[in-house]
Amino acid sequence: MKLQFWEHQVKNIVFCASRNYAAIFDDPALGKTATGLGLFLLLRDRGVVKNMLVVGTKSIVTEQWPKEIAKWDDFKGLRVTVLDGEGKHRKALLPAEITLINADGLRWLVDHPVQYDMIVVDESTFFSNAMAIRTRVLLGLMGQAARRYIMSGTPI
């Protein structure tokens, strides 16, 4: 199926593409995942980024993003990997254009560094506690990426 971006998605993509970091706070079901994928494709095609790390909850990275990627023809050719499960199997899944990982895998990723040009944090409210280990690890990773974006349907 061919994706037709809504007007607000196009505005979000243009806004984010002109910045190294930004936040997208849209209501649930307004296409934040497709917006993030569209942004990646635009920046990749312009030669700005080569790869993207998506960080989120387990259901976001194992269900939502893979379903969205499979749903639209625009994203069919992307090399995508989900870093879930036992750590010893994760290394074999790298590298990819898009790497999906949940918060529990972030510590593993620090020990097996890969340079990401772009990091997207989906459902950023999951990382709202600045003292949580997962948030501190994520902040360290985000500092290494040239482009950083957060998204949430439930901003706090």
Side-chain angles (χ1 to χ4, degrees), residues 61-130:
V61 300
T62 60
E63 297 172 26
Q64 180 179 335
W65 278 76
K67 282 181 185 175
E68 198 74 15
I69 291 166
K71 180 178 178 180
W72 305 108
D73 295 338
D74 306 65
F75 310 130
K76 292 275 194 241
L78 293 172
R79 291 184 331 270
V80 180
T81 190
V82 179
L83 296 182
D84 190 40
E86 301 221 9
K88 61 185 175 183
H89 302 295
R90 293 177 182 159
K91 188 73 171 166
L93 298 172
L94 297 173
E97 284 180 293
I98 298 177
T99 301
L100 307 169
I101 193 164
N102 68 37
D104 296 334
L106 288 176
R107 292 176 101 177
W108 178 89
L109 196 59
V110 169
D111 295 334
H112 301 84
V114 174
Q115 181 61 45
Y116 292 100
D117 300 324
M118 178 174 161
I119 296 178
V120 172
V121 180
D122 194 351
E123 203 50 62
S124 57
T125 55
F126 188 68
F127 298 92
S128 61
N129 181 353

Side-chain angles (χ1 to χ4, degrees), residues 40-61:
F40 172 73
L41 286 180
L42 175 69
L43 294 174
R44 184 199 66 178
D45 293 348
R46 287 183 176 175
V48 176
V49 300
K50 294 178 186 159
N51 60 17
M52 171 173 72
L53 175 67
V54 177
V55 181
T57 63
K58 186 172 180 77
S59 64
I60 285 172
V61 300

